[in-house]
C-alpha cells in the first residue's frame, strides 16, 4: 500500500467524520423542534480493484419508518374526525338543556301539560288560560330555536369545510414544491433532509384533514393519494374545489368537494373518504345533525297534533263564529273520501244554546247530512242548504265554516261511532279548531289511496339527490310529473328505473296515505330533494311538503306556533266541550266546564304512532315517553361521540409516541455518536500524522 493511498484513506475518514459530526450537531440543535425527524448519514467504504481506498457519505436521510408513519397518519385522521364530530354534536346536545333541569326543552313539555291541568281546575281563570297559552307558545318557540341552531351547526360545519379546502390546497402546493426541491437534491447528490423534514410536517398537517396514502418515489419525491386512490400530489398538485349548491336549499343538501387531479380528471372527494376532519364535518352536517332535527320535528309535530286533537274535540265559550281549517294539501273530494262514523255541527247563540245542527254521517263515498244524501263533490252544497245561517267553503286546500247573526259554531263526534279517517275526527282532520297552526303540512298521513288524485300538473319538476349511507353523493335525478293524475300514476313514474328513481329505491303508499321511500343497497341509499318546482292544485304546496320528502320532515319544527287569535284573546282557548244531551234551551257549552282542558292535559299520555326519525324506527308511544326516549338518545349519541373521540385521540397519542421514539432525537445516543465520530476523526488525523512522518523519513533517506 502506497503512502498516497494511506493519506487518501485518512483524508476520506476525516471528511466523513466531519460530515457525521455535522449531522449529529444538527440533531442536537433541533432536539426541541416540534416535528423534527433526526438525520442519519449512511457511510460506505470505497474500494478500487478489490482494495479498500477509504470511506464516504453515501447519503443523508431521515430516520423515518414508513409503517410507523402510516400508523400515525391514519390515527391522526381518525382523531380529527371523531374530535370535530363530538365537538359539534356536543353543541347540539347542549341546545336541549339538562333533561333533569328546570329549564330544559323536555321539562317544558311537562310544564305545558301541567298548565292545562291547572286550567281544568280553574276553567274561568284568565291567568290560568294565559299561563297555558304562554307555556305552549314558549315550548314551540324553544323548539324552533333549537331547530334553527341545529341548522346553524350544519352551516358552521359546511363553512369549515370550505375553509379547509383552501388550507388543503395550500398544503398540496407547498408539498409539491418541496417534491421538486427534493428531486433536484437527490439527483445532484445534495442533502435533501431539510426539505424532507419540512415536507413531513406538511404531510402530518394534511393527514388531519383526510386519510391519505404515501408512495415514495425513486427520485426522492413522495406521491400522495386519498384512501380511495385520488391523486393529490404527483409531479404537480391537485386542486380541491368546493362546488356550491346553487339553487339547492341548504335545509336539505349542501355543496360537494371536487378534486381536480393533475391529469385534468375530476371526482368527488367524498367518494371513499374514510377519515379526517373533512369526514367528521360531512358526517355531522349530513347525518348527525339532520337526524337530531328529524327527531325533534317528529316530537313537536306529534305534540302539536295531539294538542290539536284535544282542542278540536272542545269549544271555547262563546263558540267561535268562524272555523278556519288548515291547508290539507288535497282537494275537498279527496279529503272527504274515506271517512266513517258520525259528527255533529252545532250552531249556538252567545249563551251557548243550540240554534240548529247538522248531523253528518260518513260511510266512505256516501255521506248524509240530516238524512239528506251527499257526496264529496256535493258536500258543501248540501251542508249550506241543511244549516241556514252557516256558510261552508273550500279554498286553497282548506275548509272554512262561518256562522251569521252573531252565532257561533261547535263540533262534536258521536260517542259510540265517532267520525274517523286515519285516526282523526272530522274537525281534527280539517283543522277546524286547531290550537297549534303551521305554515306547512306537519303530518304526512294524507289518507290518499292509489286511486286518489294527486293534484300536480303534468310537466312540473323536482330534483332528487341520492347518497350512500355515509352521505356521499351517488346521483342527481330530475323527475317530471307524468300525465296520469292518480297517485298510482305518480308512484309508477317515480319508480321508473329510467325516468324515475327506480335504480336507487322504491316509493310506496302506506295504508294511511303516507309516501314512503325505501332505498336500495346495504346500507340503503339516502334521498333528499334539491329543488322542488311543483305546486299542487288547489293547495299550492309543493310535492315535498305534501309528502314530507327529503329534508322537509326535519324542517317542520320552525313552522309551528299557537294560533294568533288565541294568543291575542285567551277566551278563545277551547276548554269546554259541546254537550248535545242537555235539555232544549239549555246551554250546550259552559265557561265553568273544564273537560276540554282535561283532554289537553292528558294529551301527553295518549298513545300515538311516531314515524321513523333520526335513525330510530317508528313506534307506538306516548308523547312523554317519546320525549324521555329522545332525551336519552341525544345524550347517548353525545356520550358515544365523546368516547370515540377519546379513544381515537389515545390511539393517535400512542402511535405518535412510538414514531417519536424512533424518529426523534435522543440526546444520549447523539452524544455517543459524537464521541464515536470524534474518535474516528482523531484516528484519521493520527494516520495522516503517521503518513507525514513516513514521508519525512523517506525524503531524509533520499537526501
Amino acid at each position: 500500500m502506497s503512502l498516497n493511498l494511506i493519506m487518501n484513506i485518512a483524508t476520506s475518514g476525516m471528511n466523513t467524520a466531519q460530515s457525521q459530526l455535522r449531522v449529529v450537531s444538527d440533531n442536537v440543535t433541533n432536539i426541541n423542534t416540534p416535528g423534527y425527524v433526526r438525520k442519519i448519514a449512511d457511510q460506505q467504504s470505497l474500494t478500487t480493484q478489490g482494495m479498500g481506498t477509504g470511506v464516504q457519505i453515501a447519503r443523508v436521510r431521515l430516520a423515518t419508518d414508513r409503517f410507523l408513519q402510516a400508523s400515525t397518519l391514519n390515527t391522526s385522521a381518525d382523531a380529527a374526525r371523531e374530535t370535530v364530530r363530538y365537538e359539534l354534536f356536543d353543541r347540539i346536545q347542549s341546545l336541549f338543556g339538562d333533561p333533569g333541569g328546570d329549564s330544559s326543552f323536555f321539562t317544558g313539555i311537562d310544564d305545558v301539560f301541567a298548565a292545562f291541568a291547572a286550567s281544568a281546575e280553574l276553567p274561568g281563570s284568565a291567568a290560568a288560560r294565559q299561563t297555558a297559552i304562554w307555556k305552549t307558545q314558549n315550548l314551540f318557540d324553544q323548539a324552533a330555536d333549537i331547530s334553527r341552531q341545529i341548522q346553524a351547526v350544519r352551516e358552521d360545519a359546511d363553512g369549515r369545510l370550505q375553509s379547509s379546502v383552501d388550507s388543503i390546497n395550500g398544503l398540496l402546493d407547498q408539498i409539491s414544491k418541496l417534491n421538486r426541491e427534493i428531486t433536484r437534491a437527490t439527483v445532484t447528490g445534495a442533502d435533501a433532509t431539510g426539505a424532507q423534514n419540512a415536507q413531513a410536517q406538511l404531510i402530518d398537517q394534511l393527514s388531519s384533514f383526510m386519510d391519505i396514502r404515501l408512495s415514495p418515489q425513486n427520485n426522492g419525491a413522495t406521491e400522495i393519494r386519498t384512501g380511495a386512490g385520488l391523486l393529490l400530489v404527483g409531479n404537480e398538485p391537485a386542486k380541491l374545489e368546493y362546488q356550491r349548491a346553487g339553487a339547492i336549499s341548504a335545509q336539505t343538501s349542501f355543496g360537494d368537494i371536487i378534486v381536480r387531479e393533475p391529469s385534468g380528471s375530476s371526482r368527488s372527494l367524498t367518494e371513499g373518504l374514510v377519515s379526517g376532519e373533512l369526514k367528521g364535518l360531512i358526517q355531522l352536517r349530513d347525518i348527525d345533525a339532520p337526524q337530531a332535527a328529524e327527531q325533534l320535528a317528529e316530537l313537536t309535530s306529534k305534540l302539536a297534533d295531539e294538542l290539536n286533537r284535544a282542542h278540536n274535540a272542545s269549544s271555547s265559550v262563546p263558540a267561535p263564529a268562524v272555523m278556519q281549517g288548515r291547508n290539507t294539501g288535497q282537494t275537498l273530494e279527496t279529503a272527504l273520501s274515506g271517512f266513517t262514523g258520525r259528527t255533529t255541527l252545532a250552531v249556538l247563540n252567545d249563551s251557548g244554546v243550540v240554534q240548529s245542527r247538522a248531523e253528518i254521517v260518513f260511510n266512505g263515498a256516501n255521506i248524509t247530512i240530516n238524512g239528506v244524501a251527499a257526496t264529496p263533490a256535493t258536500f258543501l252544497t248540501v251542508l249550506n242548504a241543511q244549516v241556514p245561517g252557516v256558510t261552508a267553503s273550500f279554498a286553497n286546500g282548506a275548509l272554512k265554516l262561518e256562522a251569521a247573526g252573531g252565532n257561533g259554531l261547535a263540533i262534536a263526534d258521536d260517542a259510540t261511532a265517532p267520525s274517523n279517517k286515519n285516526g282523526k275526527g272530522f274537525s281534527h282532520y280539517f283543522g277546524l279548531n286547531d290550537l297549534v297552526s303551521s305554515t306547512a303540512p306537519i303530518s304526512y298521513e294524507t289518507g290518499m289511496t292509489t286511486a286518489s288524485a294527486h293534484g300536480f300538473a303534468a310537466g312540473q319538476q323536482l330534483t332528487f339527490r341520492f347518497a350512500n349511507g355515509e352521505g356521499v353523493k351517488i346521483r342527481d335525478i330530475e323527475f317530471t310529473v307524468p300525465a296520469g293524475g292518480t297517485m298510482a300514476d305518480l308512484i309508477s313514474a317515480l319508480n321508473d328505473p329510467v325516468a324515475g328513481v327506480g335504480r336507487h329505491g322504491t316509493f310506496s303508499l302506506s295504508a294511511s296515505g303516507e309516501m314512503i321511500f325505501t332505498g336500495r343497497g346495504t346500507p340503503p341509499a339516502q334521498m333528499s330533494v334539491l329543488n322542488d318546482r311543483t305546486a299542487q292544485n288547489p293547495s299550492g304546496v309543493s310535492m315535498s311538503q305534501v309528502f314530507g320528502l327529503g329534508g322537509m320532515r326535519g324542517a317542520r319544527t320552525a313552522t309551528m306556533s299557537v294560533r294568533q287569535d288565541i294568543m291575542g284573546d285567551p277566551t278563545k282557548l277551547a276548554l269546554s266541550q259541546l254537550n248535545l244531551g242537555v235539555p232544549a234551551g239549555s246551554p250546550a257549552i259552559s265557561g265553568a266546564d273544564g273537560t276540554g282542558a282535561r283532554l289537553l292535559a292528558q294529551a301527553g299520555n295518549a298513545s300515538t304512532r311516531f314515524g321513523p326519525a333520526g335513525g330510530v324506527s317508528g313506534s307506538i308511544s306516548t308523547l312523554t315517553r317519546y320525549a324521555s326516549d329522545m332525551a336519552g338518545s341525544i345524550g347517548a349519541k353525545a356520550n358515544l361521540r365523546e368516547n370515540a373521540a377519546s379513544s381515537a385521540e389515545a390511539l393517535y397519542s400512542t402511535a405518535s409516541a412510538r414514531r417519536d421514539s424512533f424518529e426523534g432525537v435522543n440526546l444520549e445516543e447523539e452524544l455517543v455518536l459524537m464521541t464515536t465520530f470524534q474518535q474516528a476523526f482523531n484516528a484519521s488525523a493520527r494516520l495522516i500524522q503517521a503518513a507525514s512522518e513516513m514521508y519525512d523519513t523517506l525524503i531524509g533517506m533520499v537526501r
Side-chain angles (χ1 to χ4, degrees):
M1 179 180 291
S2 67
L3 289 177
N4 284 339
L5 181 58
I6 293 173
M7 187 67 74
N8 290 338
I9 291 173
T11 301
S12 68
M14 288 183 65
N15 292 335
T16 300
Q18 281 182 320
S19 297
Q20 291 281 17
L21 287 170
R22 280 195 296 270
V23 169
V24 171
S25 176
D26 287 345
N27 288 340
V28 173
T29 301
N30 289 282
I31 190 171
N32 293 320
T33 302
Y36 178 81
V37 179
R38 64 187 171 89
K39 298 178 182 180
I40 296 177
D42 293 329
Q43 66 183 56
Q44 63 182 19
S45 61
L46 298 173
T47 59
T48 303
Q49 297 180 349
M51 181 182 295
T53 58
V55 293
Q56 69 175 5
I57 299 297
R59 62 170 179 164
V60 179
R61 61 181 176 86
L62 299 181
T64 56
D65 183 288
R66 57 185 297 189
F67 300 106
L68 289 176
Q69 184 185 38
S71 176
T72 304
L73 295 180
N74 290 337
T75 54
S76 170
D78 289 340
R81 178 193 64 195
E82 297 300 344
T83 298
V84 72
R85 200 174 176 187
Y86 165 64
E87 173 194 332
L88 293 177
F89 195 84
D90 187 55
R91 282 177 56 187
I92 292 176
Q93 182 199 25
S94 66
L95 297 174
F96 293 92
D98 181 4
D102 294 334
S103 59
S104 78
F105 171 74
F106 300 105
T107 302
I109 296 176
D110 294 333
D111 290 345
V112 167
F113 297 130
F116 283 119
S119 295
E121 298 300 322
L122 299 168
S125 170
R129 288 169 175 263
Q130 189 66 64
T131 298
I133 294 170
W134 180 83
K135 287 184 178 294
T136 304
Q137 181 60 45
N138 182 66
L139 180 66
F140 282 102
D141 284 344
Q142 188 178 359
D145 184 61
I146 293 173
S147 179
R148 285 189 291 268
Q149 290 299 319
I150 291 175
Q151 181 65 16
V153 171
R154 296 185 70 192
E155 292 170 358
D156 285 350
D158 190 65
R160 290 176 63 170
L161 282 171
Q162 296 179 50
S163 62
S164 294
V165 166
D166 294 335
S167 299
I168 292 170
N169 282 330
L171 289 172
L172 296 181
D173 187 59
Q174 293 179 68
I175 292 171
S176 178
K177 289 178 180 177
L178 288 170
N179 260 348
R180 292 192 288 272
E181 185 177 333
I182 292 168
T183 299
R184 284 194 298 269
T186 302
V187 170
T188 59
D191 184 359
T193 55
Q196 289 173 332
N197 237 318
Q199 188 183 69
Q201 295 180 43
L202 295 175
I203 290 173
D204 288 344
Q205 294 179 45
L206 181 63
S207 71
S208 68
F209 288 105
M210 68 182 85
D211 52 302
I212 55 176
R213 301 291 181 266
L214 307 183
S215 299
Q217 305 298 297
N218 293 331
N219 59 6
T222 299
E223 184 181 89
I224 304 177
R225 293 180 179 270
T226 67
L230 292 177
L231 182 62
L232 295 175
V233 177
N235 294 328
E236 296 292 334
K239 185 174 181 59
L240 272 61
E241 178 182 323
Y242 183 89
Q243 287 192 339
R244 296 186 179 277
I248 298 173
S249 168
Q251 186 69 46
T252 58
S253 185
F254 290 83
D256 196 8
I257 301 173
I258 301 299
V259 178
R260 302 196 184 280
E261 295 181 284
S263 63
S265 61
S266 299
R267 286 174 58 187
S268 172
L269 177 65
T270 53
E271 295 180 19
L273 190 65
V274 174
S275 198
E277 182 178 310
L278 295 182
K279 184 64 174 181
L281 291 170
I282 291 171
Q283 287 179 315
L284 187 285
R285 184 194 70 179
D286 297 340
I287 298 175
D288 297 337
Q291 284 184 348
E294 284 181 9
Q295 205 167 4
L296 173 63
E298 187 67 14
L299 173 61
T300 53
S301 63
K302 290 300 181 182
L303 172 63
D305 194 55
E306 289 305 314
L307 290 175
N308 286 340
R309 183 192 302 278
H311 206 258
N312 275 280
S314 308
S315 176
S316 61
V317 180
V322 178
M323 302 186 82
Q324 174 63 63
R326 78 172 79 90
N327 190 337
T328 61
Q330 303 173 44
T331 64
L332 180 61
E333 291 80 358
T334 300
L336 285 172
S337 297
F339 265 102
T340 59
R342 299 181 176 87
T343 193
T344 299
L345 170 64
V347 179
L348 306 97
N349 61 20
D350 56 3
S351 298
V353 177
V354 175
Q355 304 299 297
S356 61
R357 68 175 67 181
E359 295 181 355
I360 307 171
V361 179
F362 297 100
N363 185 14
N366 299 316
I367 305 172
T368 61
I369 303 175
N370 289 342
V372 178
T375 65
T378 62
F379 178 81
L380 294 179
T381 303
V382 176
L383 181 61
N384 286 330
Q386 289 300 308
V387 191
V390 173
T391 302
S393 59
F394 188 85
N396 300 321
L399 179 62
K400 182 178 182 181
L401 305 177
E402 298 178 85
N407 291 324
L409 299 169
I411 297 176
D413 281 332
D414 185 85
T416 57
S419 62
N420 178 56
K421 181 177 180 180
N422 275 353
K424 297 180 180 180
F426 173 74
S427 182
H428 182 203
Y429 187 89
F430 284 98
L432 295 172
N433 193 25
D434 280 351
L435 171 61
V436 182
S437 62
S438 174
T439 56
I442 60 173
S443 176
Y444 305 117
E445 295 177 334
T446 64
M448 292 185 182
T449 66
T450 54
S452 300
H454 56 68
F456 296 99
Q460 294 182 345
Q461 295 180 322
L462 72 163
T463 306
F464 293 104
R465 167 164 290 179
F466 293 92
N468 64 18
E470 292 295 318
V472 178
K473 173 187 170 183
I474 299 174
R475 185 186 178 195
D476 292 343
I477 295 177
E478 190 166 274
F479 172 74
T480 302
V481 177
T486 67
M487 287 298 298
D489 296 324
L490 180 62
I491 291 175
S492 178
L494 282 167
N495 292 334
D496 188 295
V498 178
V501 305
R503 295 182 185 180
H504 305 288
T506 304
F507 282 97
S508 60
L509 196 66
S510 71
S512 61
E514 183 177 8
M515 187 180 285
I516 300 171
F517 174 77
T518 305
R520 298 189 188 280
T522 305
Q526 305 296 312
M527 180 268 294
S528 60
V529 176
L530 299 187
N531 200 347
D532 192 342
R533 300 175 296 283
T534 61
Q536 189 192 58
N537 182 29
S539 67
V541 296
S542 66
M543 187 181 298
S544 55
Q545 289 177 317
V546 172
F547 299 112
L549 303 180
M552 289 301 161
R553 290 175 180 264
R556 288 175 288 175
T557 306
T559 67
M560 291 173 269
S561 63
V562 174
R563 229 172 64 199
Q564 286 301 307
D565 60 327
I566 295 178
M567 286 288 295
D569 185 358
T571 62
K572 293 184 177 180
L573 187 64
L575 302 184
S576 179
Q577 281 193 298
L578 179 64
N579 184 0
L580 297 173
V582 298
S586 299
I589 56 174
S590 170
D593 176 21
T595 54
R598 280 191 283 274
L599 284 179
L600 290 165
Q602 294 164 5
N605 297 320
S607 294
T608 187
R609 177 185 173 277
F610 290 86
V616 179
S617 59
S619 63
I620 302 295
S621 183
T622 64
L623 285 166
T624 52
R625 177 61 183 272
Y626 188 87
S628 176
D629 291 344
M630 179 181 169
S633 174
I634 294 291
K637 287 181 179 179
N639 188 57
L640 178 64
R641 297 271 67 81
E642 182 179 16
N643 291 338
S646 298
S647 298
E649 188 63 38
L651 289 174
Y652 172 60
S653 297
T654 301
S656 296
R658 290 179 178 176
R659 181 182 175 186
D660 289 344
S661 67
F662 183 84
E663 296 181 349
V665 179
N666 185 300
L667 186 59
E668 293 181 356
E669 291 181 1
E670 297 299 325
L671 290 176
V672 169
L673 290 174
M674 181 175 289
T675 301
T676 300
F677 295 133
Q678 284 175 339
Q679 292 174 349
F681 182 89
N682 292 334
S684 296
R686 285 195 299 271
L687 184 58
I688 290 175
Q689 180 65 34
S692 176
E693 291 174 355
M694 292 175 68
Y695 266 119
D696 291 340
T697 301
L698 288 173
I699 291 172
M701 292 173 62
V702 172
R703 290 177 182 176

